[in-house]
């Protein structure tokens, strides 16, 4: 056979095999070819989330690099407001969300019947303790840190207990306990690990209270507050953009909060929703959210860790879910009283 013809046939064959091998690989990671085709045909999905809007915009942009045929319409609301919206729309038979993503697993668990059966292709790779229902998955797993403005703080804190120092009077910020599930996780950690008197000690420094991590992180960058506990993914992007911020994981421990994310039974675009969640929960999606956004992961084996996070040093703390549910109301009410916060 002519060498040129043979070479051309060989290269064509290899390319063909590459296509054949590539399709199953993608199918295994993100879903079957049929699911992907159906998702592209739907062409869109509506995404309800309690996470930070600027963070989720980056996730959506990255997803659309892989699947540009699918438009994602995001609806962002604080935790309590989002749950109220889901309940109200569902009661009226008008829930328009294709995906609901929430930080407070205790609020999502009673709503599990609203969601359809779903599991990602790599379901077995996830820590079962991160799931409160086989229908709701930890698309996002967040971790708490302490951050401070390096231009304002010359004697920076080195631990959670340091935030109770009198020298930091009126310099710290705090996200109030009722803001959502991630903050409730931090509040539980403070009392169970740092001591029952920690709230009183910290409140005595007269911290500035914020409704969520987004405005507090903005205030930290602007110098309106000098330091305080923040979700790593709320402040890390600002540090990465050049803000004068230092972030660390305190030695007493780092509270971690998995989200609960699912697809409502009423989803108008269920295939696009599944593909979006499959991508987010895949190794590719989790790696992006860890490396670029500062998340952790509920995968049994983390593909990477966020900058500054050494798994051999940082003591990760997960709340016990039964206590997460049972203690919420009385402890949050006590926190409000201690910090002088009124709803």
């Amino acid at each position: 056979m002519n060498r040129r013809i043979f070479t051309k046939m060989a290269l064509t064959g290899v390319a063909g095999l590459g296509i054949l091998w590539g399709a199953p690989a993608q199918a295994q990671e993100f879903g079957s070819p049929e699911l992907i085709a159906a998702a592209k045909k739907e062409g869109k999905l509506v995404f309800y989330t309690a996470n930070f809007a600027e963070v989720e915009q980056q996730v959506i942009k990255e997803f659309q690099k892989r699947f540009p045929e699918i438009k994602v319409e995001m609806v962002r609301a604080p935790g309590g407001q989002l749950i109220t919206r889901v309940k109200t729309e569902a009661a009226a038979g008008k829930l328009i969300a294709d995906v609901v993503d929430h930080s407070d697993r205790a609020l999502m668990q009673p709503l599990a019947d609203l969601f359809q059966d779903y599991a990602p292709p790599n379901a077995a790779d996830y820590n079962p303790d991160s799931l409160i229902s086989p229908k709701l998955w930890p698309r996002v797993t967040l971790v708490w840190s302490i951050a401070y403005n390096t231009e304002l703080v010359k004697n920076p804190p080195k631990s959670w207990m340091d935030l109770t120092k009198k020298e930091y009077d009126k310099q710290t910020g705090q996200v109030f306990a009722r803001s959502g599930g991630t903050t409730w996780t931090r509040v539980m950690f403070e009392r169970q690990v740092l001591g029952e008197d920690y709230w009183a000690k910290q409140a005595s420094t007269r911290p500035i209270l914020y409704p969520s991590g987004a405005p507090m992180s903005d205030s930290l960058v602007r110098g309106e507050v000098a330091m305080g506990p923040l979700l790593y993914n709320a402040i890390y992007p600002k540090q990465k953009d050049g803000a004068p911020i230092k972030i660390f994981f305190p030695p007493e421990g780092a509270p971690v909060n998995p989200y609960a994310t699912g697809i409502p039974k009423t989803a108008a675009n269920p295939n696009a929703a599944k593909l979006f969640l499959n991508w987010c929960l895949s190794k590719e999606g989790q790696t992006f959210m860890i490396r670029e956004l500062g998340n952790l992961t509920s995968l049994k084996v983390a593909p990477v860790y966020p900058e500054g996070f050494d798994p051999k040093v940082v003591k990760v703390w997960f709340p016990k879910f039964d206590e997460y549910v049972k203690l919420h109301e009385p402890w949050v009410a006590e926190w409000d009283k201690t910090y002088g916060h009124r709803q």
Side-chain angles (χ1 to χ4, degrees), residues 3 23 57 67 85 97 100 103 121 126 138 158 160 163 175 184 194 202 211 220 252 265 285 292 297 315 320 341:
R3 179 178 293 178
Q57 286 166 354
F67 299 105
R85 177 167 182 161
V100 177
S103 59
Y126 274 84
K158 297 178 177 63
W160 288 101
L163 295 181
V175 177
W184 165 229
L194 306 177
Q202 211 287 309
L220 186 64
E252 301 99 325
K265 293 176 180 177
E292 300 300 326
T297 182
K315 294 183 287 187
K320 295 180 180 178
H341 173 250

Side-chain angles (χ1 to χ4, degrees), residues 107-178:
L107 294 178
M108 286 289 280
Q109 189 183 46
L111 305 181
D113 286 344
L114 292 178
F115 296 88
Q116 61 181 258
D117 292 336
Y118 164 77
N122 61 338
D125 296 337
Y126 274 84
N127 186 335
D129 292 338
S130 65
L131 276 70
I132 56 167
S133 163
K135 300 179 180 182
L136 301 171
W137 288 79
R139 187 189 75 91
V140 170
T141 301
L142 301 184
V143 60
W144 282 90
S145 61
I146 291 177
Y148 59 90
N149 188 309
T150 56
E151 294 183 350
L152 298 177
V153 183
K154 303 309 175 186
N155 181 29
K158 297 178 177 63
S159 68
W160 288 101
M161 293 306 299
D162 280 356
L163 295 181
T164 67
K165 289 182 175 180
K166 293 297 183 183
E167 67 183 273
Y168 296 147
D169 189 59
K170 292 184 178 180
Q171 295 184 46
T172 65
Q174 282 275 5
V175 177
F176 56 69
R178 293 188 184 276

Side-chain angles (χ1 to χ4, degrees), residues 167-295:
E167 67 183 273
Y168 296 147
D169 189 59
K170 292 184 178 180
Q171 295 184 46
T172 65
Q174 282 275 5
V175 177
F176 56 69
R178 293 188 184 276
S179 70
T182 48
T183 308
W184 165 229
T185 297
R186 189 207 77 215
V187 167
M188 278 187 69
F189 166 82
E190 290 171 345
R191 179 157 173 169
Q192 292 188 338
V193 176
L194 306 177
E196 291 192 10
D197 60 347
Y198 181 81
W199 298 345
K201 289 179 178 178
Q202 211 287 309
S204 70
T205 67
R206 297 183 289 177
I208 300 170
L209 302 184
Y210 292 88
S212 75
M216 179 175 159
S217 59
D218 288 339
S219 289
L220 186 64
V221 172
R222 291 194 296 262
E224 296 165 356
V225 64
M227 70 190 79
L230 278 166
L231 288 168
Y232 189 82
N233 82 321
I235 192 63
Y236 173 67
K238 298 182 184 301
Q239 182 196 56
K240 194 168 69 168
D241 288 342
I245 300 296
K246 180 75 174 178
I247 315 168
F248 68 95
F249 298 97
E252 301 99 325
V256 171
N257 185 72
Y259 272 40
T261 310
I263 303 169
K265 293 176 180 177
T266 54
N269 304 290
N271 296 297
K274 289 177 184 176
L275 184 59
F276 177 67
L277 281 193
N278 287 355
W279 180 84
C280 288
L281 290 159
S282 71
K283 184 178 179 180
E284 177 178 303
Q286 291 291 294
T287 298
F288 171 79
M289 287 189 270
I290 295 166
R291 183 171 285 145
E292 300 300 326
L293 307 179
N295 289 7

